[in-house]
Amino acid sequence: MTAHVIADDAEALAVAAALAEEFRAGASARDAERRLPRAELDRLSASGLLAVTVPADHGGADVGAQTLAEIFRLLASADGSLAQIPQSHFAYVNVIRRQGTDEQRKFFFAELLAGRRFGNAQSEAGTKHVQDIRTRLTRRSDGSYVLDGVKHYSTGALFADWIPVLARAEEDKLHVAYVPADAPGVTVIDDWDGLGQRTTASGTVRLEGVEVPADRVLPHHLTFEGPQLHGAVAQLLHAAIDAGIAGGALAEAAEFVRTKSRPWFESGLETAAEDPLLIQRFGELAIEVRSAEALLREAARAVEAAQALTDDSAAEASIAVAAAKVRSAQAAVDVASALFEVSGTRAALNSLNLHRHWRDARTHTLHDPTRWKIQHIGRFVLNGTRPPRHGLL
């Protein structure tokens, strides 16, 4: 595979905006037919967008958090499923940046610049909680490992060249094994049947006696032994996806009302778009979207300001991202639901598939509960309590 190498932030944003418009055209049909976006992901890989966080000394653009968040917002405004697929890709690029050896960085950054995709085999079902990881890396006498376990909600794995697998090794410490998707013992099952984000293929990954060389395993537990931005960056991208879904839903609602909705007979108006009650509601919804986007930008700036990591700068970034995630999640669900309220009965027709915005919003916002983010924000503001280092803030 060959891929374009993006030079800087400006080019990255221009490419993302162009691809978003291209992907928007087929988003509804892909969702309705559950047609997996293999061709679109190949376009994404070839564009160079998946390598934009590769460090400059390895040939990448090394774009900032503001640019990365905006890339995801743009993509999600067009297709809330497609934008979700590379979220874990970038999270596991960050693991390599922080915990990889020089040789590991050299190898994997070259893979990324060539257009290779990372998937995700992280979450498990039926365990005590989300951090109860039971997948095992067992070290062999020659220093290599054998990997065994079952993963669920493995977004991107079906489309991946490499599948980063979260597992426990010696002393139950968390590691990430980077496994070729076609390695013996790896089975990726397309059994995702969520009501929303239908085309993410977030299904099951089975790992049975998978042989993993020692140089494909990274000590992820070290990430959380000091101040870190791993969780903040990952959550920033989730917030960007929610903000994008909200913005996309608002834009489609406005277009529908302008071109298809009939005015309510009591208004005495010729078009629905002239109705002052609808105008008021669109103003309220626009404020929700704008506030989500503003907090997203503020959070991205906080992440960039925290690059010189300290406990305080990491905490400030995590709290800023938590605020953005709370607001964007609410905006996505609210605006995607209000789409029907402002558009009228016809908007509920299954054939129009306008409900995909709400289904995507409702599904994506279940990733982690915003109520706990609000708790951490409150503790920080009231008592100066820094948020925990568990990777979800």
Side-chain angles (χ1 to χ4, degrees):
M1 180 184 293
T2 58
H4 174 68
V5 177
I6 287 175
D8 53 28
D9 293 68
E11 184 183 4
L13 291 172
V15 170
L19 283 179
E21 287 309 305
E22 180 182 322
F23 296 158
R24 190 185 314 278
S28 179
R30 284 192 298 272
D31 173 87
E33 300 164 14
R34 196 176 179 271
R35 178 160 28 95
L36 299 182
R38 296 182 186 276
E40 289 76 16
L41 285 170
D42 286 345
R43 290 277 293 122
L44 195 62
S45 292
S47 76
L49 276 183
L50 297 182
V52 293
T53 57
V54 170
D57 59 0
H58 285 269
D62 201 8
V63 304
Q66 294 185 68
T67 295
L68 190 60
E70 181 63 4
I71 289 169
F72 272 79
R73 190 195 68 80
L74 287 166
L75 293 176
S77 73
D79 186 334
S81 284
L82 187 56
Q84 177 62 34
I85 293 170
Q87 190 272 339
S88 290
H89 170 96
F90 284 98
Y92 286 105
V93 172
N94 278 346
V95 174
I96 295 169
R97 290 188 62 142
R98 186 171 175 91
Q99 301 303 339
T101 65
D102 289 342
E103 284 303 310
Q104 287 169 331
R105 292 190 188 105
K106 181 179 178 181
F107 175 80
F108 279 114
F109 291 154
E111 287 285 281
L112 293 166
L113 290 169
R116 305 285 190 268
R117 294 194 289 266
F118 289 167
N120 144 43
Q122 179 170 281
S123 295
E124 299 179 12
T127 56
K128 185 176 181 180
H129 50 68
V130 72
Q131 298 260 318
D132 182 14
I133 302 298
R134 300 183 185 181
T135 298
R136 302 298 307 188
L137 275 166
T138 304
R139 187 185 286 271
R140 302 195 297 189
S141 59
D142 63 359
S144 65
Y145 293 86
V146 175
L147 179 63
D148 292 280
V150 180
K151 297 290 188 176
H152 299 268
Y153 313 119
S154 301
T155 303
L158 193 67
F159 314 112
D161 300 290
W162 292 89
I163 303 176
V165 180
L166 196 61
R168 296 198 182 274
E170 297 91 346
E171 300 178 356
D172 276 350
K173 291 187 175 180
L174 280 178
H175 290 67
V176 178
Y178 289 75
V179 178
D182 60 357
V186 175
T187 305
V188 182
I189 305 167
D190 180 21
D191 57 359
W192 170 242
D193 65 347
L195 67 88
Q197 295 195 306
R198 288 175 170 177
T199 61
T200 59
S202 301
T204 300
V205 173
R206 295 189 179 277
L207 307 146
E208 300 173 298
V210 181
E211 297 182 4
V212 185
D215 63 357
R216 297 293 179 260
V217 177
L218 278 71
H220 191 33
H221 61 95
L222 297 179
T223 301
F224 307 104
E225 292 183 4
Q228 52 83 33
L229 295 174
H230 178 80
V233 173
Q235 291 295 309
L236 180 71
L237 302 187
H238 281 307
I241 292 168
D242 287 338
I245 291 172
L250 182 62
E252 187 146 8
E255 176 66 14
F256 191 93
V257 169
R258 283 193 298 266
T259 61
K260 296 182 177 66
S261 292
R262 297 183 297 178
W264 184 242
F265 73 95
E266 290 180 285
S267 72
L269 298 169
E270 291 298 313
T271 67
E274 298 173 277
D275 186 336
L277 300 181
L278 281 179
I279 290 170
Q280 174 74 19
R281 189 67 178 118
F282 270 96
E284 293 166 350
L285 296 173
I287 289 169
E288 283 205 57
V289 173
R290 284 172 175 259
S291 64
E293 293 172 351
L295 282 174
L296 180 68
R297 290 190 293 270
E298 179 182 315
R301 286 193 294 268
V303 169
E304 290 183 353
Q307 294 303 314
L309 268 177
T310 65
D311 285 330
D312 287 337
S313 67
E316 290 284 354
S318 290
I319 292 300
V321 171
K325 183 64 174 70
V326 170
R327 194 70 198 94
S328 62
Q330 190 63 58
V333 173
D334 285 353
V335 176
S337 176
L339 182 155
F340 302 98
E341 168 199 335
V342 297
S343 300
T345 306
R346 187 181 175 193
L349 292 177
N350 197 54
S351 59
L352 295 177
N353 200 23
L354 294 178
H355 48 70
R356 73 185 184 281
H357 298 289
W358 182 86
R359 289 188 288 99
D360 285 347
R362 186 64 281 175
T363 300
H364 183 257
T365 54
L366 298 176
H367 269 84
D368 39 73
T370 56
R371 58 186 177 274
W372 276 98
K373 297 184 187 302
I374 295 170
Q375 282 285 310
H376 291 304
I377 294 168
R379 291 168 184 167
F380 184 75
V381 171
L382 186 59
N383 299 314
T385 304
R386 297 188 188 104
R389 298 172 181 160
H390 54 43
L392 295 176
L393 280 167

